[in-house]
Amino acid sequence: MNINDKLASLGIELAPAPAAKGSYVPTLVVDSFVFVSGMLPLVGDTIPVTGIVGATVSPEEAQAAACQCMINMFSRLATDLGSLDKIAQWVKLTGFVASTPEFTAQPTVMNAASDLVVEVFGEQGKHTRSAVGVSSLPLGTPVEIEAILRLKA
């Protein structure tokens, strides 16, 4: 089953890829690696839930935001690579979670993103990861995720 068929079987429809929100490129291919800039949980031009996890955003809302970040990343990669089937391996995800100092479940928030990647890409989706708590993120988003991937030869 190709990746587009897998996404369809999960009920995931890729919207147009979100544009860069600043002076950077969303993806950069270097040799066989793709570096993906931080993706926000945009739906259209809106971030549905803003705030700080542990204060105004629940862990469940943050997990949903993490999944939306990944769906946006899938869209961006499909646009920039021409096909998600060109991905050989997800190498690393780095997730930033805007959270209170007392909130220590950043890995649980990022599990939602990691689980989605593995569900869609199978063995190729297994990756290394960091989950980092920060005081704030751009546009008030509770989650931002960046990635490194390896392309097929």
Side-chain angles (χ1 to χ4, degrees):
M1 178 182 297
N2 73 32
I3 299 303
N4 287 333
D5 291 340
K6 183 63 178 179
L7 289 168
S9 75
L10 296 171
I12 297 172
E13 186 175 327
L14 298 182
K21 299 285 185 200
S23 299
Y24 62 91
V25 293
T27 61
L28 183 63
V29 177
V30 178
D31 297 323
S32 63
F33 290 93
V34 182
F35 296 82
V36 185
S37 295
M39 289 286 146
L40 303 180
L42 291 162
V43 176
D45 287 331
T46 304
I47 296 174
V49 175
T50 59
I52 304 296
V53 184
T56 59
V57 176
S58 73
E60 295 78 18
E61 289 172 315
Q63 288 175 318
C67 287
Q68 186 61 46
C69 288
M70 293 315 303
I71 292 168
N72 290 343
M73 191 175 296
F74 299 161
S75 293
R76 181 82 263 156
L77 287 164
T79 297
D80 292 354
L81 299 177
S83 171
L84 294 173
D85 290 311
K86 292 182 178 180
I87 297 169
Q89 186 68 52
W90 287 76
V91 177
K92 182 165 187 179
L93 292 182
T94 303
F96 303 94
V97 181
S99 50
T100 64
E102 299 78 27
F103 184 81
T104 59
Q106 292 85 0
T108 301
V109 170
M110 279 301 296
N111 282 344
S114 292
D115 291 346
L116 181 60
V117 172
V118 172
E119 187 171 12
V120 172
F121 288 86
E123 285 296 313
Q124 296 166 290
K126 292 185 178 178
H127 54 272
T128 62
R129 188 185 80 193
S130 297
V132 181
V134 297
S135 62
S136 67
L137 287 167
L139 306 176
T141 186
V143 181
E144 180 176 358
I145 302 174
E146 64 182 26
I148 301 170
L149 304 90
R150 185 174 55 82
L151 296 174
K152 293 177 181 173

